[in-house]
Every structure is written in C-alpha cells, then in structure tokens.
Amino acid sequence: MDTIASLFSFITTPVSWVIVQFHSVYGAVFGPDTGWAWGLSIVSLVILIRICLIPLFVKQIKATRAMQTLQPEMKKIQERYKNDKQRQSEEMMKLYKETGTNPLSSCLPILAQSPFFFALYHVLNSIASNDTIGVINTRLLESAQKAHIFGAPLAAKFTDSSDKVEALNSSLTDVRVVTAIMIVLMSLSQFYTQRQLMTKNVDTTVKTPFMQQQKMLMYVFPVIFAVFGINFPVGVLVYWLTTNVWTMGQQMYVIHNNPTPGSKAQAAYLERLTKHVTHQGKTRNRRERAIVKAIVAKGRDRNEYERKFINGLNKAGLAAQADGMVIKSEGTVAAQAEDGTPGTGAAPKRQQPKRQSKSQRQSGPAKAAGEPTSLTKSDDEPADDGKPAAPAKKGDAKPAGSTRSRAQSGQRKGPQRPKSSSKK
C-alpha cells in the first residue's frame, strides 16, 4: 500500500492537505477529535471539487443534448453501413466532427473527480492501517482514528472484522448499521438523479437507443454502488453520498431553469415564463431573453410547447421579438405569427348578425327594397283623387308591398276605401 500511495503522492498529498486545512477550521468549532470536524472536512472537500468542476458540468450538459439530437442520424448510419463496421466508424467520426460533438464530454465530470476519489480512498485506508500519508502526521492520524460518525469510525468498512473495528474503539454492529444506511442513501440518490433526467429532461418527441441506454443505467448504477459500497470506508461513503446529493441538486437547478427542448421540463418552464411575461409585460433577465430569442429564431421548427408559448403571448396582446424582448402588440404593431414571420396585428373579430323576430324577417325584404310600410304613403303612389284603385289584372306584376305584408302590418285584405279630407 505504501508503494501505491507513493506512486500517487502527486494527488494524495494535495487531497490530504485540503482536508487538514478544513479540519483546522472545523476543529476549532466542534473539537479536533470529533466526527463533525473530520466529516465536515470531507464534505467541504467535495464541495470545493464540484465547484471547480462546474465548467465541465456545463460541457457535459451540452454534450448530452447534442448526443440526443444526433441519435436519429447515428441510427441511419448504423442501418446504412451495418455490414461495414469500418465505414460505420468513419461516418460516425465525420458526423461528430461536423457537429462539434464529443461523446466523451458527457463523462468528463466523472473522469475528472475520479483521481480525487482514489486519493481520498488511500488517505482513509492509511488512517485505518495506522499509517501516515501526505501531510497527515502522527498527531493528526491519532485524531482521525478517534473520530466517529454516528458511532462508526471514519476509516471503518462494512466488511471489516470485529477485531479491527474494536481497535478503532467501536462495535461491528454500529459500523454495519451506519454503512448500510449510507449505502442505501447513496444508491437512492443515484437512482433519483437518473430517473429525474429520464422522466423530465428528455425530448419525448424523439425515440432513440440513447434513451434505452439511459434507462438501463438508471437501474444498473444503484446496484453497482450498493455492491462496491460495502468495501468503502465510512469517510469515502460520506464523500460519495455528498457528491451524489450535489449532483442531484445541480441537475434539479438545470432542469428547472434550462430544460432540454421538447421535454416535460421545458413545458413546465415555458408555462411559468408565459405567466410571468404576460403579468409583467417583459422578460426578467438575460437568460430569459436568450430563451425567447432561440424560440423566435426557430420559426417553423418550433416544438409543441414553444408554439404554445408564442400563441399565449399573442393572446395576451404581446409579441416576441428577434432579440428576445417582448413588446405590446397594439393596432398596427407587428405580432409574431405562428410560422415565425411578422404579422400585421390582430385581425378584427367577425361580427355576428343580430337575431331578428319572425315579423322582422318577413317584412325585412320590403324595407330593404325601400318600399313603404303600412300606414305610410310612398312618393311613388298616385295622388288620392277619391276614386278606388283599379283591381290588378291577372298577369300583371304585383306591387312590391304584398297583401300578406299589409295584413301583418294591421290592414285588411282586399281593396281599401280611400280616405276623404271633406265630409259629404
């Protein structure tokens, strides 16, 4: 073990130095020999490492989304050159080069933190073996061996014998109960993180083999952690549980604020964004403007949730602009159309005809033609000369005002007796 530790001293020494620096801070608060001082030192080491890995995490997100986008093209290449593996590999590399995608980018955070995990394992294993390592001298070694986390020594394992555990001033039952609980929590956090990615942040419109692989890993990874976890010291379990919780929280933040296009998380995000923009009449920050700008630039290529977002703005009298801003759409102000081209504003509503009564519908044509209504003389009627009007002959054209219309307006059928202004 000394030989292996000396070969990897370039990483074990910095890790041990960081733990000692954090221990000096927490030891002044909780006591140098307590499990809180050493446990929080390991947690702080994880947080420091993960903060440094944030740029790689961003690259991992971009690479994962790019791989999801390329899955249909990759499937076509595999089917086209299924009998020529060499040509298939060449076409795959060509596709990666053209799109600027690196399949290994999605594994960068795991690969980057592996050396720190390895170094911490050797540091804690040396403490359990009563060997100094890195900057941990004899005094710090004795302090670390006294540290217990819920009754389990920092360097104890689930598979340790009772004699070895008793040498660390603990009982085998305490060690196995604590390590078993930590292994279960570690596996559950890994499962939830992967499930959250599969159920909320995957484009549901594209069915690819990549999704099946991710679904399989969702069940495989927790089993792997459970199997190998029984061989990890308690301090390493603290490290791995902390990094799983960090990954889960980091992923929840990304899914909530920058979801994958076409996923359920994007539908929920755009629904929240629609409510805010319609209430405030504008976007809040640069990130929201960037999302609106990307949606507007897609035009006809928008997915269902993005079209619903644009339509929601239009219904509220707002229009998304090409620069990501949202303005009010009034009168002749151009509104964003469904296909991404600027429109001419909201179209006027079609006026529905007013419902008429039966008498209005029957007398309507006569009024529309300009004919006089009953009890009203027209300018075209002959002057009243005191003689009754001659009855119409058969075949002559009927007057515009029909007998039925006059009857309905209060007049009797047949020829009417003319009125005289003077009495006989």
Side-chain angles (χ1 to χ4, degrees), residues 278-336:
T278 53
H279 179 70
Q280 299 290 335
K282 62 180 181 179
T283 50
R284 283 179 292 189
N285 47 45
R286 184 182 301 175
R287 177 175 53 81
E288 289 185 353
R289 288 193 292 271
I291 291 176
V292 174
K293 181 179 179 180
I295 293 175
V296 172
K298 287 185 177 182
R300 295 181 181 273
D301 296 331
R302 297 181 192 133
N303 58 46
E304 176 186 356
Y305 310 126
E306 293 165 347
R307 289 194 296 269
K308 186 177 179 181
F309 170 72
I310 295 296
N311 292 337
L313 294 182
N314 290 339
K315 290 179 181 179
L318 301 173
Q321 302 300 300
D323 59 353
M325 300 295 291
V326 175
I327 63 174
K328 291 185 178 180
S329 178
E330 299 177 352
T332 58
V333 179
Q336 187 68 26

CSV table of all heavy atoms in Angstrom, one decimal, residues 278-336:
chain,number,residue,atom,x,y,z
A,278,THR,N,-46.7,37.7,-19.3
A,278,THR,CA,-48.0,38.3,-19.5
A,278,THR,C,-48.4,39.2,-18.4
A,278,THR,O,-49.1,40.2,-18.5
A,278,THR,CB,-49.1,37.2,-19.7
A,278,THR,OG1,-49.0,36.3,-18.6
A,278,THR,CG2,-48.9,36.5,-21.0
A,279,HIS,N,-47.8,38.9,-17.2
A,279,HIS,CA,-48.1,39.7,-16.0
A,279,HIS,C,-47.3,41.0,-16.0
A,279,HIS,O,-47.8,42.1,-15.7
A,279,HIS,CB,-47.9,38.9,-14.7
A,279,HIS,CG,-48.2,39.7,-13.5
A,279,HIS,ND1,-49.4,40.1,-13.1
A,279,HIS,CD2,-47.3,40.2,-12.5
A,279,HIS,CE1,-49.3,40.8,-12.0
A,279,HIS,NE2,-48.1,40.8,-11.6
A,280,GLN,N,-46.0,40.8,-16.3
A,280,GLN,CA,-45.0,41.9,-16.2
A,280,GLN,C,-44.9,42.7,-17.6
A,280,GLN,O,-44.6,43.9,-17.6
A,280,GLN,CB,-43.6,41.4,-15.8
A,280,GLN,CG,-43.6,40.8,-14.5
A,280,GLN,CD,-43.8,41.8,-13.3
A,280,GLN,OE1,-43.5,43.0,-13.5
A,280,GLN,NE2,-44.2,41.3,-12.2
A,281,GLY,N,-45.3,42.0,-18.7
A,281,GLY,CA,-45.2,42.6,-20.0
A,281,GLY,C,-43.7,42.6,-20.5
A,281,GLY,O,-43.5,43.3,-21.5
A,282,LYS,N,-42.8,41.9,-19.9
A,282,LYS,CA,-41.4,41.9,-20.4
A,282,LYS,C,-40.7,40.7,-19.8
A,282,LYS,O,-41.2,40.0,-18.8
A,282,LYS,CB,-40.7,43.2,-20.0
A,282,LYS,CG,-40.6,43.4,-18.5
A,282,LYS,CD,-39.9,44.6,-18.1
A,282,LYS,CE,-39.8,44.8,-16.6
A,282,LYS,NZ,-39.1,46.1,-16.2
A,283,THR,N,-39.5,40.4,-20.3
A,283,THR,CA,-38.7,39.3,-19.8
A,283,THR,C,-37.8,39.9,-18.6
A,283,THR,O,-37.5,41.1,-18.6
A,283,THR,CB,-37.8,38.7,-20.9
A,283,THR,OG1,-37.1,39.8,-21.5
A,283,THR,CG2,-38.6,38.0,-21.9
A,284,ARG,N,-37.4,39.0,-17.7
A,284,ARG,CA,-36.8,39.5,-16.5
A,284,ARG,C,-35.3,39.7,-16.6
A,284,ARG,O,-34.7,40.7,-16.2
A,284,ARG,CB,-37.0,38.5,-15.3
A,284,ARG,CG,-38.4,38.5,-14.7
A,284,ARG,CD,-38.5,37.5,-13.6
A,284,ARG,NE,-38.5,36.1,-14.2
A,284,ARG,CZ,-38.8,35.1,-13.5
A,284,ARG,NH1,-39.1,35.2,-12.2
A,284,ARG,NH2,-38.8,33.9,-14.0
A,285,ASN,N,-34.6,38.8,-17.3
A,285,ASN,CA,-33.1,38.8,-17.3
A,285,ASN,C,-32.6,38.3,-18.7
A,285,ASN,O,-33.4,38.0,-19.6
A,285,ASN,CB,-32.6,38.0,-16.2
A,285,ASN,CG,-33.2,36.6,-16.1
A,285,ASN,OD1,-33.4,36.0,-17.1
A,285,ASN,ND2,-33.6,36.2,-14.9
A,286,ARG,N,-31.3,38.3,-18.7
A,286,ARG,CA,-30.6,37.9,-20.0
A,286,ARG,C,-30.9,36.4,-20.3
A,286,ARG,O,-31.0,36.1,-21.5
A,286,ARG,CB,-29.1,38.1,-19.8
A,286,ARG,CG,-28.3,37.8,-21.1
A,286,ARG,CD,-26.8,38.0,-20.8
A,286,ARG,NE,-26.5,39.4,-20.4
A,286,ARG,CZ,-25.3,39.8,-20.0
A,286,ARG,NH1,-24.3,38.9,-20.0
A,286,ARG,NH2,-25.1,41.0,-19.6
A,287,ARG,N,-31.0,35.6,-19.3
A,287,ARG,CA,-31.3,34.2,-19.6
A,287,ARG,C,-32.6,34.0,-20.3
A,287,ARG,O,-32.8,33.2,-21.2
A,287,ARG,CB,-31.2,33.4,-18.3
A,287,ARG,CG,-31.5,31.9,-18.5
A,287,ARG,CD,-31.2,31.1,-17.2
A,287,ARG,NE,-31.9,31.8,-16.1
A,287,ARG,CZ,-33.2,31.6,-15.8
A,287,ARG,NH1,-33.9,30.8,-16.6
A,287,ARG,NH2,-33.8,32.1,-14.8
A,288,GLU,N,-33.7,34.7,-19.8
A,288,GLU,CA,-35.0,34.5,-20.3
A,288,GLU,C,-35.0,35.1,-21.8
A,288,GLU,O,-35.7,34.6,-22.7
A,288,GLU,CB,-36.0,35.3,-19.5
A,288,GLU,CG,-36.3,34.5,-18.1
A,288,GLU,CD,-37.4,35.2,-17.3
A,288,GLU,OE1,-37.8,36.3,-17.8
A,288,GLU,OE2,-37.8,34.6,-16.3
A,289,ARG,N,-34.3,36.2,-21.9
A,289,ARG,CA,-34.2,36.8,-23.3
A,289,ARG,C,-33.5,35.9,-24.3
A,289,ARG,O,-33.9,35.8,-25.4
A,289,ARG,CB,-33.5,38.2,-23.3
A,289,ARG,CG,-34.3,39.3,-22.6
A,289,ARG,CD,-33.8,40.6,-22.9
A,289,ARG,NE,-32.5,40.8,-22.2
A,289,ARG,CZ,-32.3,41.3,-21.0
A,289,ARG,NH1,-33.4,41.6,-20.3
A,289,ARG,NH2,-31.1,41.4,-20.4
A,290,ALA,N,-32.5,35.2,-23.8
A,290,ALA,CA,-31.8,34.2,-24.7
A,290,ALA,C,-32.8,33.1,-25.1
A,290,ALA,O,-32.7,32.6,-26.2
A,290,ALA,CB,-30.6,33.7,-24.0
A,291,ILE,N,-33.6,32.6,-24.1
A,291,ILE,CA,-34.5,31.5,-24.4
A,291,ILE,C,-35.6,32.0,-25.4
A,291,ILE,O,-35.9,31.3,-26.4
A,291,ILE,CB,-35.2,31.0,-23.1
A,291,ILE,CG1,-34.1,30.3,-22.3
A,291,ILE,CG2,-36.3,30.0,-23.4
A,291,ILE,CD1,-34.6,29.8,-20.9
A,292,VAL,N,-36.2,33.2,-25.2
A,292,VAL,CA,-37.2,33.7,-26.1
A,292,VAL,C,-36.5,33.9,-27.5
A,292,VAL,O,-37.2,33.6,-28.5
A,292,VAL,CB,-37.8,35.0,-25.6
A,292,VAL,CG1,-38.7,35.7,-26.6
A,292,VAL,CG2,-38.5,34.8,-24.3
A,293,LYS,N,-35.3,34.4,-27.5
A,293,LYS,CA,-34.6,34.7,-28.8
A,293,LYS,C,-34.5,33.4,-29.6
A,293,LYS,O,-34.7,33.3,-30.8
A,293,LYS,CB,-33.3,35.3,-28.6
A,293,LYS,CG,-32.5,35.6,-29.8
A,293,LYS,CD,-31.1,36.3,-29.4
A,293,LYS,CE,-30.3,36.5,-30.7
A,293,LYS,NZ,-29.0,37.2,-30.3
A,294,ALA,N,-34.1,32.3,-28.9
A,294,ALA,CA,-33.9,31.0,-29.5
A,294,ALA,C,-35.2,30.4,-30.0
A,294,ALA,O,-35.2,29.8,-31.1
A,294,ALA,CB,-33.3,30.0,-28.5
A,295,ILE,N,-36.3,30.6,-29.3
A,295,ILE,CA,-37.6,30.2,-29.8
A,295,ILE,C,-38.1,30.9,-31.0
A,295,ILE,O,-38.6,30.3,-32.0
A,295,ILE,CB,-38.6,30.3,-28.6
A,295,ILE,CG1,-38.3,29.3,-27.5
A,295,ILE,CG2,-40.0,30.0,-29.1
A,295,ILE,CD1,-39.2,29.5,-26.3
A,296,VAL,N,-37.9,32.2,-31.0
A,296,VAL,CA,-38.3,33.1,-32.2
A,296,VAL,C,-37.5,32.7,-33.4
A,296,VAL,O,-38.0,32.6,-34.5
A,296,VAL,CB,-38.1,34.5,-31.9
A,296,VAL,CG1,-38.3,35.4,-33.1
A,296,VAL,CG2,-39.1,35.0,-30.8
A,297,ALA,N,-36.2,32.4,-33.2
A,297,ALA,CA,-35.3,32.1,-34.3
A,297,ALA,C,-35.6,30.7,-35.0
A,297,ALA,O,-35.3,30.5,-36.2
A,297,ALA,CB,-33.8,32.0,-33.9
A,298,LYS,N,-36.3,29.8,-34.3
A,298,LYS,CA,-36.6,28.5,-34.8
A,298,LYS,C,-37.7,28.6,-35.9
A,298,LYS,O,-37.7,27.8,-36.8
A,298,LYS,CB,-37.1,27.6,-33.7
A,298,LYS,CG,-36.0,27.1,-32.8
A,298,LYS,CD,-36.5,26.1,-31.8
A,298,LYS,CE,-35.4,25.5,-30.9
A,298,LYS,NZ,-36.0,24.5,-30.0
A,299,GLY,N,-38.6,29.6,-35.8
A,299,GLY,CA,-39.7,29.7,-36.8
A,299,GLY,C,-40.5,28.5,-36.9
A,299,GLY,O,-41.2,28.1,-35.9
A,300,ARG,N,-40.6,27.9,-38.0
A,300,ARG,CA,-41.5,26.7,-38.3
A,300,ARG,C,-41.0,25.5,-37.5
A,300,ARG,O,-41.7,24.5,-37.4
A,300,ARG,CB,-41.6,26.4,-39.8
A,300,ARG,CG,-42.3,27.5,-40.5
A,300,ARG,CD,-42.4,27.1,-42.0
A,300,ARG,NE,-43.1,28.2,-42.8
A,300,ARG,CZ,-44.4,28.3,-43.0
A,300,ARG,NH1,-45.2,27.4,-42.4
A,300,ARG,NH2,-44.9,29.3,-43.7
A,301,ASP,N,-39.7,25.5,-37.1
A,301,ASP,CA,-39.2,24.3,-36.5
A,301,ASP,C,-39.5,24.2,-35.0
A,301,ASP,O,-38.9,23.4,-34.3
A,301,ASP,CB,-37.7,24.3,-36.7
A,301,ASP,CG,-37.3,24.1,-38.1
A,301,ASP,OD1,-38.1,23.5,-38.9
A,301,ASP,OD2,-36.2,24.6,-38.5
A,302,ARG,N,-40.3,25.1,-34.5
A,302,ARG,CA,-40.7,25.1,-33.0
A,302,ARG,C,-41.4,23.8,-32.7
A,302,ARG,O,-42.2,23.3,-33.5
A,302,ARG,CB,-41.5,26.3,-32.7
A,302,ARG,CG,-40.9,27.6,-32.9
A,302,ARG,CD,-41.8,28.7,-32.5
A,302,ARG,NE,-41.3,30.0,-32.9
A,302,ARG,CZ,-42.0,30.9,-33.5
A,302,ARG,NH1,-43.2,30.7,-33.8
A,302,ARG,NH2,-41.4,32.1,-33.9
A,303,ASN,N,-41.2,23.3,-31.5
A,303,ASN,CA,-42.0,22.2,-31.0
A,303,ASN,C,-43.3,22.6,-30.4
A,303,ASN,O,-43.6,23.8,-30.4
A,303,ASN,CB,-41.2,21.4,-30.0
A,303,ASN,CG,-40.8,22.2,-28.8
A,303,ASN,OD1,-41.6,22.9,-28.2
A,303,ASN,ND2,-39.5,22.1,-28.3
A,304,GLU,N,-44.1,21.7,-30.0
A,304,GLU,CA,-45.4,21.9,-29.5
A,304,GLU,C,-45.5,22.9,-28.4
A,304,GLU,O,-46.3,23.8,-28.3
A,304,GLU,CB,-46.1,20.6,-29.0
A,304,GLU,CG,-47.4,20.7,-28.4
A,304,GLU,CD,-48.0,19.4,-27.9
A,304,GLU,OE1,-47.3,18.4,-28.0
A,304,GLU,OE2,-49.1,19.4,-27.3
A,305,TYR,N,-44.5,22.8,-27.4
A,305,TYR,CA,-44.5,23.7,-26.2
A,305,TYR,C,-44.1,25.1,-26.6
A,305,TYR,O,-44.6,26.1,-26.0
A,305,TYR,CB,-43.6,23.1,-25.2
A,305,TYR,CG,-43.8,21.7,-24.8
A,305,TYR,CD1,-42.8,20.7,-24.9
A,305,TYR,CD2,-45.1,21.2,-24.5
A,305,TYR,CE1,-43.1,19.4,-24.6
A,305,TYR,CE2,-45.4,19.9,-24.2
A,305,TYR,CZ,-44.3,19.0,-24.3
A,305,TYR,OH,-44.6,17.7,-24.0
A,306,GLU,N,-43.2,25.2,-27.5
A,306,GLU,CA,-42.7,26.5,-28.0
A,306,GLU,C,-43.8,27.3,-28.8
A,306,GLU,O,-44.0,28.5,-28.6
A,306,GLU,CB,-41.5,26.4,-28.8
A,306,GLU,CG,-40.3,25.9,-28.0
A,306,GLU,CD,-39.1,25.4,-28.8
A,306,GLU,OE1,-39.3,25.2,-30.0
A,306,GLU,OE2,-38.0,25.2,-28.3
A,307,ARG,N,-44.6,26.5,-29.6
A,307,ARG,CA,-45.7,27.2,-30.3
A,307,ARG,C,-46.8,27.6,-29.3
A,307,ARG,O,-47.4,28.7,-29.5
A,307,ARG,CB,-46.3,26.2,-31.3
A,307,ARG,CG,-45.4,25.9,-32.5
A,307,ARG,CD,-46.1,25.2,-33.6
A,307,ARG,NE,-46.6,23.9,-33.2
A,307,ARG,CZ,-45.9,22.8,-33.4
A,307,ARG,NH1,-44.7,22.8,-34.0
A,307,ARG,NH2,-46.4,21.6,-33.0
A,308,LYS,N,-47.0,26.8,-28.3
A,308,LYS,CA,-48.0,27.2,-27.3
A,308,LYS,C,-47.5,28.5,-26.6
A,308,LYS,O,-48.4,29.3,-26.2
A,308,LYS,CB,-48.2,26.0,-26.3
A,308,LYS,CG,-49.3,26.2,-25.3
A,308,LYS,CD,-49.4,25.0,-24.4
A,308,LYS,CE,-50.5,25.2,-23.4
A,308,LYS,NZ,-50.7,24.0,-22.5
A,309,PHE,N,-46.3,28.6,-26.3
A,309,PHE,CA,-45.7,29.8,-25.7
A,309,PHE,C,-45.9,31.0,-26.5
A,309,PHE,O,-46.4,32.1,-26.0
A,309,PHE,CB,-44.2,29.6,-25.4
A,309,PHE,CG,-43.5,30.8,-24.9
A,309,PHE,CD1,-43.7,31.3,-23.7
A,309,PHE,CD2,-42.6,31.5,-25.8
A,309,PHE,CE1,-43.1,32.5,-23.2
A,309,PHE,CE2,-42.0,32.6,-25.3
A,309,PHE,CZ,-42.2,33.1,-24.1
A,310,ILE,N,-45.6,31.0,-27.8
A,310,ILE,CA,-45.8,32.1,-28.7
A,310,ILE,C,-47.3,32.5,-28.8
A,310,ILE,O,-47.7,33.6,-28.8
A,310,ILE,CB,-45.2,31.8,-30.1
A,310,ILE,CG1,-43.7,31.6,-30.0
A,310,ILE,CG2,-45.6,32.9,-31.1
A,310,ILE,CD1,-43.0,32.9,-29.6
A,311,ASN,N,-48.1,31.5,-28.9
A,311,ASN,CA,-49.6,31.7,-29.0
A,311,ASN,C,-50.1,32.3,-27.8
A,311,ASN,O,-51.0,33.2,-27.8
A,311,ASN,CB,-50.3,30.4,-29.3
A,311,ASN,CG,-50.0,29.9,-30.7
A,311,ASN,OD1,-49.7,30.7,-31.6
A,311,ASN,ND2,-50.2,28.6,-30.9
A,312,GLY,N,-49.6,31.9,-26.6
A,312,GLY,CA,-50.0,32.5,-25.3
A,312,GLY,C,-49.7,34.0,-25.3
A,312,GLY,O,-50.4,34.8,-24.7
A,313,LEU,N,-48.5,34.4,-25.8
A,313,LEU,CA,-48.1,35.8,-25.8
A,313,LEU,C,-49.0,36.6,-26.7
A,313,LEU,O,-49.4,37.7,-26.4
A,313,LEU,CB,-46.6,35.9,-26.2
A,313,LEU,CG,-45.6,35.4,-25.3
A,313,LEU,CD1,-44.2,35.7,-25.9
A,313,LEU,CD2,-45.7,36.0,-23.9
A,314,ASN,N,-49.3,36.0,-27.9
A,314,ASN,CA,-50.2,36.7,-28.9
A,314,ASN,C,-51.6,36.9,-28.3
A,314,ASN,O,-52.2,38.0,-28.5
A,314,ASN,CB,-50.3,35.9,-30.2
A,314,ASN,CG,-48.9,35.9,-30.9
A,314,ASN,OD1,-48.1,36.8,-30.7
A,314,ASN,ND2,-48.7,34.9,-31.8
A,315,LYS,N,-52.1,35.9,-27.6
A,315,LYS,CA,-53.4,36.1,-27.0
A,315,LYS,C,-53.5,37.2,-25.9
A,315,LYS,O,-54.5,37.8,-25.7
A,315,LYS,CB,-53.9,34.8,-26.4
A,315,LYS,CG,-54.2,33.7,-27.4
A,315,LYS,CD,-54.7,32.4,-26.8
A,315,LYS,CE,-55.0,31.3,-27.8
A,315,LYS,NZ,-55.4,30.0,-27.2
A,316,ALA,N,-52.3,37.4,-25.3
A,316,ALA,CA,-52.2,38.4,-24.2
A,316,ALA,C,-51.9,39.8,-24.8
A,316,ALA,O,-51.7,40.7,-24.1
A,316,ALA,CB,-51.2,38.0,-23.2
A,317,GLY,N,-51.8,39.9,-26.2
A,317,GLY,CA,-51.5,41.2,-26.8
A,317,GLY,C,-50.0,41.5,-26.8
A,317,GLY,O,-49.7,42.7,-26.8
A,318,LEU,N,-49.2,40.5,-26.7
A,318,LEU,CA,-47.7,40.7,-26.7
A,318,LEU,C,-47.1,40.0,-27.9
A,318,LEU,O,-47.7,39.1,-28.5
A,318,LEU,CB,-47.1,40.1,-25.4
A,318,LEU,CG,-47.6,40.7,-24.1
A,318,LEU,CD1,-47.1,39.9,-22.9
A,318,LEU,CD2,-47.3,42.1,-24.0
A,319,ALA,N,-45.9,40.4,-28.2
A,319,ALA,CA,-45.2,39.8,-29.4
A,319,ALA,C,-43.7,39.6,-29.0
A,319,ALA,O,-43.1,40.5,-28.5
A,319,ALA,CB,-45.3,40.7,-30.6
A,320,ALA,N,-43.2,38.4,-29.3
A,320,ALA,CA,-41.8,38.1,-29.0
A,320,ALA,C,-41.0,38.6,-30.2
A,320,ALA,O,-41.3,38.3,-31.3
A,320,ALA,CB,-41.6,36.6,-28.8
A,321,GLN,N,-39.9,39.3,-29.9
A,321,GLN,CA,-39.0,39.9,-30.9
A,321,GLN,C,-37.8,39.0,-31.1
A,321,GLN,O,-37.5,38.1,-30.4
A,321,GLN,CB,-38.6,41.3,-30.5
A,321,GLN,CG,-39.8,42.2,-30.2
A,321,GLN,CD,-40.7,42.4,-31.4
A,321,GLN,OE1,-40.2,42.9,-32.5
A,321,GLN,NE2,-41.9,42.1,-31.3
A,322,ALA,N,-37.1,39.3,-32.3
A,322,ALA,CA,-35.9,38.5,-32.6
A,322,ALA,C,-34.8,38.7,-31.7
A,322,ALA,O,-33.9,37.8,-31.6
A,322,ALA,CB,-35.5,38.9,-34.0
A,323,ASP,N,-34.7,39.8,-30.9
A,323,ASP,CA,-33.7,40.0,-29.9
A,323,ASP,C,-34.0,39.4,-28.6
A,323,ASP,O,-33.2,39.6,-27.6
A,323,ASP,CB,-33.3,41.5,-29.8
A,323,ASP,CG,-34.5,42.3,-29.4
A,323,ASP,OD1,-35.6,41.7,-29.3
A,323,ASP,OD2,-34.4,43.5,-29.1
A,324,GLY,N,-35.1,38.7,-28.4
A,324,GLY,CA,-35.5,38.2,-27.1
A,324,GLY,C,-36.4,39.0,-26.3
A,324,GLY,O,-36.9,38.6,-25.2
A,325,MET,N,-36.6,40.3,-26.7
A,325,MET,CA,-37.5,41.2,-26.0
A,325,MET,C,-39.0,40.9,-26.3
A,325,MET,O,-39.3,40.3,-27.3
A,325,MET,CB,-37.2,42.6,-26.3
A,325,MET,CG,-35.8,43.1,-26.0
A,325,MET,SD,-35.4,43.1,-24.3
A,325,MET,CE,-36.4,44.4,-23.7
A,326,VAL,N,-39.9,41.3,-25.4
A,326,VAL,CA,-41.3,41.1,-25.6
A,326,VAL,C,-41.9,42.5,-25.5
A,326,VAL,O,-41.7,43.2,-24.5
A,326,VAL,CB,-41.9,40.2,-24.5
A,326,VAL,CG1,-43.4,40.1,-24.6
A,326,VAL,CG2,-41.3,38.8,-24.6
A,327,ILE,N,-42.7,42.8,-26.5
A,327,ILE,CA,-43.4,44.2,-26.6
A,327,ILE,C,-44.9,44.0,-26.7
A,327,ILE,O,-45.3,42.9,-27.0
A,327,ILE,CB,-42.8,45.0,-27.7
A,327,ILE,CG1,-43.2,44.3,-29.1
A,327,ILE,CG2,-41.3,45.2,-27.6
A,327,ILE,CD1,-42.8,45.1,-30.3
A,328,LYS,N,-45.6,45.1,-26.4
A,328,LYS,CA,-47.0,45.0,-26.5
A,328,LYS,C,-47.4,45.1,-28.0
A,328,LYS,O,-46.8,45.9,-28.8
A,328,LYS,CB,-47.7,46.2,-25.8
A,328,LYS,CG,-47.5,46.0,-24.2
A,328,LYS,CD,-48.3,47.1,-23.5
A,328,LYS,CE,-48.2,46.9,-22.0
A,328,LYS,NZ,-48.9,48.0,-21.3
A,329,SER,N,-48.4,44.4,-28.4
A,329,SER,CA,-48.9,44.4,-29.8
A,329,SER,C,-50.2,45.1,-29.8
A,329,SER,O,-51.2,44.6,-29.5
A,329,SER,CB,-49.0,42.9,-30.3
A,329,SER,OG,-49.5,42.9,-31.6
A,330,GLU,N,-50.2,46.4,-30.2
A,330,GLU,CA,-51.3,47.2,-30.3
A,330,GLU,C,-51.6,47.7,-31.7
A,330,GLU,O,-50.7,48.3,-32.3
A,330,GLU,CB,-51.2,48.4,-29.3
A,330,GLU,CG,-51.0,48.1,-27.9
A,330,GLU,CD,-50.8,49.3,-27.0
A,330,GLU,OE1,-50.6,50.4,-27.6
A,330,GLU,OE2,-50.7,49.1,-25.8
A,331,GLY,N,-52.8,47.6,-32.2
A,331,GLY,CA,-53.2,48.2,-33.5
A,331,GLY,C,-52.3,47.6,-34.6
A,331,GLY,O,-52.4,46.4,-34.9
A,332,THR,N,-51.5,48.4,-35.2
A,332,THR,CA,-50.7,48.0,-36.4
A,332,THR,C,-49.3,47.5,-36.0
A,332,THR,O,-48.5,47.3,-36.8
A,332,THR,CB,-50.5,49.2,-37.3
A,332,THR,OG1,-49.9,50.3,-36.6
A,332,THR,CG2,-51.8,49.7,-37.8
A,333,VAL,N,-49.1,47.3,-34.6
A,333,VAL,CA,-47.8,46.8,-34.2
A,333,VAL,C,-47.7,45.4,-34.7
A,333,VAL,O,-48.6,44.6,-34.5
A,333,VAL,CB,-47.6,46.9,-32.7
A,333,VAL,CG1,-46.3,46.3,-32.3
A,333,VAL,CG2,-47.7,48.3,-32.3
A,334,ALA,N,-46.5,45.0,-35.2
A,334,ALA,CA,-46.4,43.7,-35.8
A,334,ALA,C,-46.4,42.6,-34.7
A,334,ALA,O,-45.7,42.8,-33.7
A,334,ALA,CB,-45.1,43.6,-36.6
A,335,ALA,N,-47.2,41.6,-34.9
A,335,ALA,CA,-47.2,40.5,-34.0
A,335,ALA,C,-46.5,39.3,-34.5
A,335,ALA,O,-46.5,39.1,-35.8
A,335,ALA,CB,-48.7,40.1,-33.7
A,336,GLN,N,-46.0,38.5,-33.7
A,336,GLN,CA,-45.2,37.3,-34.1
A,336,GLN,C,-46.2,36.3,-34.6
A,336,GLN,O,-47.0,35.8,-33.8
A,336,GLN,CB,-44.4,36.8,-33.0
A,336,GLN,CG,-43.5,35.6,-33.4
A,336,GLN,CD,-42.4,36.2,-34.4
A,336,GLN,OE1,-42.0,37.3,-34.3
A,336,GLN,NE2,-41.9,35.3,-35.2
